[in-house]
Amino acid sequence: MKKILILNTGGTFNKIYNPIYGSLEIDKTFNALEDIANKWLCNFKILNIIGKDSLEMTNQDRLELLATINQSKHSHIIVVHGTDTMDLSATCLAEAELEKYVVFTGAMVPYSIDPVEATANLASAYGYLQALNSYGIYIAMNGTIGSYDKVVKDRVNGCFRAI
Amino acid sequence: MKKILILNTGGTFNKIYNPIYGSLEIDKTFNALEDIANKWLCNFKILNIIGKDSLEMTNQDRLELLATINQSKHSHIIVVHGTDTMDLSATCLAEAELEKYVVFTGAMVPYSIDPVEATANLASAYGYLQALNSYGIYIAMNGTIGSYDKVVKDRVNGCFRAI
Amino acid sequence: MKKILILNTGGTFNKIYNPIYGSLEIDKTFNALEDIANKWLCNFKILNIIGKDSLEMTNQDRLELLATINQSKHSHIIVVHGTDTMDLSATCLAEAELEKYVVFTGAMVPYSIDPVEATANLASAYGYLQALNSYGIYIAMNGTIGSYDKVVKDRVNGCFRAI
Amino acid sequence: MKKILILNTGGTFNKIYNPIYGSLEIDKTFNALEDIANKWLCNFKILNIIGKDSLEMTNQDRLELLATINQSKHSHIIVVHGTDTMDLSATCLAEAELEKYVVFTGAMVPYSIDPVEATANLASAYGYLQALNSYGIYIAMNGTIGSYDKVVKDRVNGCFRAI
């Protein structure tokens, strides 16, 4: 078994409902991934960084993501990321030509609203990493898994698909 | 992307609560996998066979499973199976030396009671199959994924682990 | 048993997540109340009107609510309503001095996100109506139940309380 | 508002799934009622006694229930009870002719499997008590609320109904 690091950068995956404002916001306690680990009876290391909706991510944030991956002793990494700019962050990492196995994932529906899609995306990334043997940057969303430049968000249908 | 067939044989994964008897029983409508497909926004082919708790599976059932896999045009197959005799069915398939990629999965907790573990097990099998390039029989449970003879049920702790 | 009519006017109770826009909106299929009826194994008549967030309710809408109640053959009525202007609609009905038993309820958290608070609010209104023997306009929220002018939204703590 | 005591005696309401044995058992931590209180944003006093499936309740247990109610300073009490012998315990209390308002409730489906029916039963009992003005022993289940000898379990359809 490969040891996997999950870098949690925020995004819809981590959104929770705030009853006072009637709005959805990033859960700063980041309970979603710990809840999955507990229920799945599976240990993986979780590191929370950035903590933003992906529309608010800056180049500075992407450099922080790159540096965190670069400095990590883990070679197998899942990045939980907002869906809107997942492609930008993945491209940024790809240009660095890291000798790492990195799979981006996220969710169209917050884990706290319905856990199925978020859990399935994450676990498919996890399974993919266990069998993967080529360095690179990948995306695993809605059952579509492949190189980061072959999996895109379909904004009309609200899911990711292969191109 | 590899096209994946899910063979659903029953087991805890598919159990639902019957309020009249106060008991858990296999859901003969097999809604769990369709529910995952709908929420995950992911298409996979589902074939329901046998429909039993794995303690009730017979050699006849295992031959049916083997024949179904053998005759399928799919080379990448997930078998959803009860946890108690998953090892027996996997061994039975391994002895047939099929030129197929087969991953067994299942659940310690019924999908209808809490969807997270069942969904994560299934999706990890799905992701593993997408990157796998050696024929064989595998087990994916609780984040432990590997050859069928290296992943076992830990009956004391109620989860699967590597040996 | 008193026969109860539920007038569903919309509000947070009926909100669902739209994954394409990442926003919460009133579910125009109004599935929440039917889902409660099915799971509670309880029959009550549901009538959907207005279908708005309560901040968007107009005087015209309130007159429609009043007319619907006035013309109904039911004397025991639950009004599912958004929380922000529940007091305004209740006051509007109270001024009409109807010979009816009317309990307003709603939710701080959408039923689709977590069903417990919405279900408890509705069922407490239902139970209250079964034992009530004074005409009037009441509010039942977060376990606080009483005359419409004695139960208010506490916007700081995000719940209703008695005054 | 009347202050309400909830006497939790166990029953299906409190059952949770044990993944090691694949069975349902009474949750000895009694989290269900606290979870409802937290999500409903409602304070009520909870006292856990007996902790049994109602088929296993003895006369001794019923005397304990009677004594607990008799000695309580609360006059408005909800008894959470298993459905199979709810009528026996209610009859036992009725014979004592207490000057109390007591509503029995419970669940056909465990709160941990699906919270809606259990929550609705409990909250309807709570609402009923707030408006009630005659001493007595009542049952509130599946939207049917009335004197303990007028509400019965329909074992064929798996719900309670009026007689």
Side-chain angles (χ1 to χ4, degrees), chain A residues 1 39-40 114 121 126 143, chain B residues 1 39-40 114 121 126 143:
Chain A
M1 295 293 298
K39 289 182 172 173
W40 197 12
D114 191 304
N121 288 338
Y126 179 99
Chain B
M1 294 293 299
K39 290 182 172 174
W40 197 12
D114 191 303
N121 288 338
Y126 180 98

Side-chain angles (χ1 to χ4, degrees), chain A residues 1 36 39-42 108 111 114-117 119-121 123-124 126-128 130-133 142-145 158-159, chain B residues 1 36 39-42 111 114-117 119-121 123-124 126-128 130-133 142-145 158-159:
Chain A
M1 295 293 298
I36 294 174
K39 289 182 172 173
W40 197 12
L41 308 167
C42 173
M108 299 302 298
Y111 178 82
D114 191 304
V116 171
E117 188 231 354
T119 299
N121 288 338
S124 69
Y126 179 99
Y128 193 69
Q130 292 297 340
L132 191 62
N133 53 22
N142 306 125
T144 301
I145 313 178
C159 64
Chain B
M1 294 293 299
I36 294 174
K39 290 182 172 174
W40 197 12
L41 309 166
C42 172
Y111 178 82
D114 191 303
V116 172
E117 188 231 354
T119 300
N121 288 338
S124 69
Y126 180 98
Y128 194 70
Q130 292 296 341
L132 192 62
N133 53 22
N142 307 124
T144 302
I145 313 178
C159 64

Side-chain angles (χ1 to χ4, degrees), chain A residues 77-97:
Chain A
I77 296 171
I78 293 172
V79 179
V80 173
H81 197 287
T83 61
D84 282 313
T85 68
M86 193 183 279
D87 57 335
L88 297 184
S89 295
T91 302
C92 171
L93 290 191
E95 288 167 353
E97 297 186 2

Side-chain angles (χ1 to χ4, degrees), chain D residues 94-112:
Chain D
E95 288 167 353
E97 298 187 2
L98 302 162
E99 295 191 346
K100 302 267 188 179
Y101 309 86
V102 179
V103 184
F104 278 74
T105 194
M108 299 301 298
V109 176
Y111 177 83
S112 67

Side-chain angles (χ1 to χ4, degrees), chain C residues 1 39-40 114 121 126 143, chain D residues 1 39-40 114 121 126 143:
Chain C
M1 294 293 299
K39 290 182 172 173
W40 197 12
D114 191 304
N121 287 339
Y126 179 98
Chain D
M1 294 293 298
K39 290 181 172 174
W40 198 11
D114 191 303
N121 288 338
Y126 180 98

Side-chain angles (χ1 to χ4, degrees), chain D residues 40-148:
Chain D
W40 198 11
L41 308 167
C42 171
N43 285 311
F44 38 68
K45 189 170 168 52
I46 304 167
L47 188 60
N48 297 308
I49 59 170
I50 304 171
K52 286 188 183 172
D53 191 321
S54 78
L55 288 172
E56 292 167 9
M57 263 202 197
T58 62
N59 284 337
Q60 191 62 34
D61 293 324
R62 294 198 169 92
L63 291 177
E64 181 185 342
L65 175 61
L66 173 58
T68 306
I69 290 173
N70 206 23
Q71 289 157 22
S72 170
K73 64 178 197 291
H74 285 81
S75 55
H76 292 76
I77 296 170
I78 293 172
V79 179
V80 174
H81 196 288
T83 60
D84 282 314
T85 68
M86 192 183 279
D87 57 336
L88 296 183
S89 295
T91 303
C92 172
L93 290 191
E95 288 167 353
E97 298 187 2
L98 302 162
E99 295 191 346
K100 302 267 188 179
Y101 309 86
V102 179
V103 184
F104 278 74
T105 194
M108 299 301 298
V109 176
Y111 177 83
S112 67
I113 291 184
D114 191 303
V116 172
E117 187 231 354
T119 299
N121 288 338
L122 182 83
S124 69
Y126 180 98
Y128 193 69
L129 272 176
Q130 292 295 341
L132 191 62
N133 54 20
S134 303
Y135 293 139
I137 311 298
Y138 303 86
I139 290 178
M141 286 290 292
N142 306 125
T144 302
I145 313 178
S147 178
Y148 76 98

